[in-house]
Amino acid sequence: MGKNRTMSICLSDIPKDRILKHKNGKLYLPVATYDLNEPDMYKNDFSVSIQLSKEEIERKKAGEEVNRVFIGNGRIWPDVENTQTATAAETDDLPF
């Protein structure tokens, strides 16, 4: 079972020029998450930023400083099994 993550994103910090319009007309924001080595003072386990563009990645590779736009953070919750296996006694009276 995968890890459950919850996060909060600050919409007012998103630069409008970073929102991509798909050919289907929907708007998207490519994001990246980064897992922290230790939870921060608010018990957040990871941060959320706008994904670097291809141009920003190339500038970073060339040694130029590129600042990420951080838009949120979140927590990783322990795995919780939400289903229970029915016993044979519980299913014996089913009509199928």
Side-chain angles (χ1 to χ4, degrees):
M1 180 172 215
K3 294 179 182 177
N4 183 26
R5 292 179 183 242
T6 58
M7 66 186 79
S8 177
I9 295 176
C10 180
L11 299 177
S12 59
D13 287 351
I14 298 172
K16 303 301 179 219
D17 64 331
R18 299 301 296 266
I19 299 172
L20 307 175
K21 187 171 186 176
H22 193 271
K23 60 185 173 184
N24 64 11
K26 295 183 180 184
L27 302 174
Y28 293 88
L29 180 69
V31 298
T33 63
Y34 177 81
D35 290 349
L36 305 173
N37 291 331
E38 297 289 328
D40 67 12
M41 62 189 286
Y42 302 106
K43 299 182 182 176
N44 292 308
D45 300 303
F46 64 95
S47 66
V48 183
S49 64
I50 297 175
Q51 185 176 319
L52 294 178
S53 67
K54 290 179 183 179
E55 295 80 19
E56 290 170 321
I57 292 169
E58 291 302 317
R59 290 193 344 246
K60 189 173 181 178
K61 285 180 183 177
E64 188 176 331
E65 185 174 330
V66 176
N67 294 321
R68 288 189 177 272
V69 178
F70 288 94
I71 57 173
N73 49 46
R75 294 182 184 169
I76 301 171
W77 299 92
D79 291 344
V80 176
E81 186 63 42
N82 291 327
T83 59
Q84 295 179 351
T85 304
T87 65
E90 293 172 320
T91 58
D92 281 343
D93 63 341
L94 294 177
F96 48 90

